[in-house]
Amino acid sequence: VALALNEDLTCEYKKSKLSTLSVEGTLQVRVKITQQGEYSPQPQAPIPFFLVFQDHFSHIKSLQENKKFVEHLTPEEGVEEREFIYCVSVPREEEFYPIVRYKCSSALRPVPIRVQSRVRAQGNSCRVALQISSNPQNPSELAQLTIIMSVPTGILGETLRCNPPGGVWNDEKKVVLWCVSELGGGEKFQLQALFDIDATVLGEEGNLVEKIEFPVLARCQCSGFQLSAVAFEVTDMPDMYPAEVSKSLIRRFRVSHKEK
């Protein structure tokens, strides 16, 4: 039985203060049958098996099983011990099927990355300094980091100059995109973006820096690790479908971090 666990962290910060945060997960299973004895050319449906979903650190707020493939069998004492038992039966082997979705409690507040920005207007130009920091306690490097910065009205996005080079201006969406292959634990990605300011905006009264905002969305992922402390065990159903059952686990978490 191959288990594939994916967790998604979605968070939003305003002025570097946490506004919203959620962690949701999905568990998929794939079954492969290895037969002993006489070979049968006819494909066989995988036999049912037990899956034990363990939440010993009480990270889970809600669980929802896929009733097409899963039957919930947890006794009362299992709920108290945060161990949930499912009977899993999938129609075909060698295909992944989603069997459980869950939402984590607000007590789980991971911070894989930190986004900081500073805006400075001088003359007819505007400079944005941006820093993406990877938490030194991250279990591995963050991969496929994409940074999307929205450019407000009054700022001429097509005049973008970047240091270091690499930012791509999208005129249709009015955003600048940067791509970074990976960011190790404790590493920082720093950049500066310089824009020209629309002449009509320069004529307006008030503090320009206070009015201009460049919202940033940073996305990345980390393979081989997870955010919560949930764990899983698989066993056969000895009374009905005795078999030798082995388990492999693939883990990944993704981050969507918005800074306003």
Side-chain angles (χ1 to χ4, degrees):
V1 178
L3 304 178
L5 177 66
N6 187 80
E7 293 188 327
D8 289 300
L9 165 64
T10 304
C11 58
E12 183 173 319
Y13 286 74
K14 294 182 179 179
K15 306 296 184 183
S16 296
K17 292 186 178 181
L18 180 63
S19 176
T20 62
L21 185 148
S22 67
V23 177
E24 299 183 3
T26 302
L27 181 67
Q28 301 183 77
V29 302
R30 183 184 66 189
V31 177
K32 182 177 181 181
I33 302 173
T34 302
Q35 293 181 326
Q36 294 181 349
E38 186 177 345
Y39 172 74
S40 173
Q42 297 296 326
Q44 293 183 327
I47 63 172
F49 62 92
F50 287 132
L51 170 75
V52 183
F53 187 115
Q54 300 171 335
D55 179 33
H56 294 159
F57 290 85
S58 298
H59 283 166
I60 304 304
K61 179 175 69 175
S62 63
L63 271 169
Q64 182 179 8
E65 64 268 15
N66 186 341
K67 291 182 171 58
K68 290 175 62 177
F69 313 122
V70 175
E71 182 182 359
H72 194 177
L73 302 175
T74 308
E76 187 173 337
E77 60 269 20
V79 175
E80 295 175 357
E81 296 173 359
R82 306 298 293 174
E83 290 197 354
F84 306 96
I85 301 174
Y86 299 102
C87 173
V88 180
S89 180
V90 296
R92 290 180 298 276
E93 63 173 325
E94 298 292 358
E95 293 184 27
F96 273 107
Y97 295 92
I99 59 169
V100 178
R101 298 181 186 275
Y102 58 89
K103 294 183 179 180
C104 294
S105 69
S106 57
L108 182 64
R109 291 194 172 191
V111 187
I113 61 173
R114 185 181 181 191
V115 179
Q116 296 169 286
S117 63
R118 185 176 60 188
V119 180
R120 182 179 181 183
Q122 186 174 12
N124 65 344
S125 64
C126 179
R127 184 183 302 273
V128 183
L130 186 62
Q131 177 174 285
I132 311 293
S133 306
S134 172
N135 192 328
Q137 297 182 354
N138 285 340
S140 182
E141 66 272 3
L142 302 175
Q144 299 180 24
L145 173 64
T146 60
I147 305 162
I148 304 170
M149 184 174 71
S150 299
V151 177
T153 302
I155 302 298
L156 303 176
E158 64 273 14
T159 64
L160 168 70
R161 286 92 75 196
C162 291
N163 183 24
V168 178
W169 166 246
N170 186 316
D171 189 63
E172 181 180 352
K173 297 181 178 180
K174 306 300 180 186
V175 299
V176 183
L177 172 68
W178 289 269
C179 295
V180 181
S181 59
E182 65 179 35
L183 199 62
E187 290 185 353
K188 299 176 181 179
F189 176 68
Q190 297 174 319
L191 61 91
Q192 290 193 8
L194 186 65
F195 302 91
D196 290 345
I197 303 174
D198 192 327
T200 58
V201 176
L202 287 172
E204 296 179 357
E205 296 181 358
N207 190 332
L208 189 61
V209 175
E210 292 181 357
K211 292 182 179 181
I212 297 178
E213 291 185 347
F214 292 81
V216 175
L217 174 63
R219 294 192 181 110
C220 58
Q221 66 179 36
C222 182
S223 298
F225 298 91
Q226 62 195 74
L227 298 167
S228 71
V230 297
F232 312 95
E233 293 296 337
V234 295
T235 64
D236 67 340
M237 303 175 68
D239 294 339
M240 299 176 64
Y241 303 100
E244 292 185 9
V245 180
S246 61
K247 176 194 73 174
S248 63
L249 176 61
I250 304 169
R251 299 179 294 173
R252 177 184 70 167
F253 69 81
R254 298 180 295 194
V255 179
S256 178
H257 181 121
K258 184 180 292 184
E259 183 80 33
K260 288 189 174 181

